[in-house]
Amino acid sequence: GDQPEWFHWGNHGHKPPIDIAANFYPSRGPYSSSDFSILQQHMADIRGAGVDTVVVSWWGPGSYEDRELAGVVRAAQAEGIRVAIHLEPYDGRTPELVQRDVLALSTRWGIREFWIYLADGPAPEAWQPLTSMFADLTFWAHGHSPSNGVRGLFQAYAARAGFDGVYTYDPVRYTPSQFATFCRLARTRGLRCSPSVSP
C-alpha cells in the first residue's frame, strides 16, 4: 500500500513517524535502510566521525538484514568503510550453519570480520572447524553471562573455541572495573577485547 512499513520504528506499540521506538529521534527523521541515498548520507556521517568499520546486525539467510546488506556494503565501500557482521542468534543457528554463512558472506561481500552474539551455547570444540577453516578472518565472541566474563570462564571458552577476541555487547551489565577485569582476563588468554559502550 501507500503506507510505509515501519520496521523497528513501530516496535512496542509506538506509532511512527512521530512516536518511534528509539531513545533518540533521528535528525533526518525515521528512515529506511532500503533507501540508498540515506545509506550514503549515514556512511558519509560515519566516515566524517573517523569510523572505519561498521558492524551490521544480520539475522540469517533471507532475513530483512540479509536482503538490505547489498546496499549497506555498497554505501560503506564508497566511503572506504569496512563492513563487519554481527551474527545474531537466528532460529536454528549452529556452528555448522555459521560456517556456511561466513563462507557465503566473505565470498560474496568480502566481509573479513564476524561478531558472534551468544556464542557460548555449544561446546567450544563445535566452533573450532569454523575458526580454523577461516584463519584469515577475525571472529569475536559474546557470552551469555557477565559473571562468567568477570570470572574468566567465558574467555577460557572463547580461547578453546579459537576465537580471536571477545566483546561485552551490553554496556549496562558491566561496571567500569568489570570492563577492565573482562579485558585483562581476555588478554591473559591471548584474546583481543572489545568492551561495548553506548550513549
Side-chain angles (χ1 to χ4, degrees):
D2 295 330
Q3 292 294 335
E5 181 181 345
W6 295 107
F7 189 59
H8 290 305
W9 297 115
N11 288 0
H12 310 295
H14 289 273
K15 305 281 186 227
I18 302 302
D19 174 30
I20 61 171
N23 291 332
F24 303 98
Y25 199 86
S27 61
R28 295 181 182 113
Y31 54 86
S32 170
S33 297
S34 301
D35 184 335
F36 189 69
S37 67
I38 291 289
L39 292 174
Q40 290 175 305
Q41 292 170 16
H42 285 180
M43 293 303 169
D45 291 346
I46 289 167
R47 170 48 75 200
V51 174
D52 62 11
T53 304
V54 293
V55 184
V56 179
S57 179
W58 191 79
W59 285 89
S63 64
Y64 169 80
E65 295 80 7
D66 186 48
R67 293 189 307 272
E68 300 305 323
L69 188 57
V72 172
V73 169
R74 258 184 41 232
Q77 287 175 341
E79 290 291 332
I81 297 171
R82 291 186 305 272
V83 174
I85 294 293
H86 191 254
L87 218 145
E88 304 287 358
Y90 62 79
D91 286 344
R93 187 189 82 180
T94 64
E96 295 77 22
L97 290 179
V98 169
Q99 193 169 350
R100 171 207 67 190
D101 299 336
V102 166
L103 179 61
L105 292 164
S106 62
T107 301
R108 182 161 190 202
W109 303 115
I111 293 170
R112 315 299 300 159
E113 189 172 351
F114 296 85
W115 299 68
I116 301 178
Y117 184 72
L118 298 177
D120 60 345
E125 294 75 19
W127 291 110
Q128 290 172 356
L130 169 75
T131 57
S132 62
M133 177 181 180
F134 298 103
D136 58 328
L137 304 181
T138 302
F139 294 100
W140 294 86
H142 166 267
H144 284 80
S145 167
S147 64
N148 282 347
V150 173
R151 294 190 327 231
L153 301 175
F154 174 63
Q155 293 86 333
Y157 172 94
R160 281 184 52 206
F163 286 98
D164 299 291
V166 292
Y167 68 106
T168 57
Y169 183 76
D170 185 352
V172 178
R173 298 171 71 190
Y174 293 84
T175 65
S177 66
Q178 287 175 323
F179 277 147
T181 300
F182 182 88
C183 286
R184 179 177 49 77
L185 293 171
R187 287 189 294 273
T188 65
R189 296 280 182 177
L191 297 166
R192 295 162 64 185
C193 183
S194 180
S196 301
V197 297
S198 68

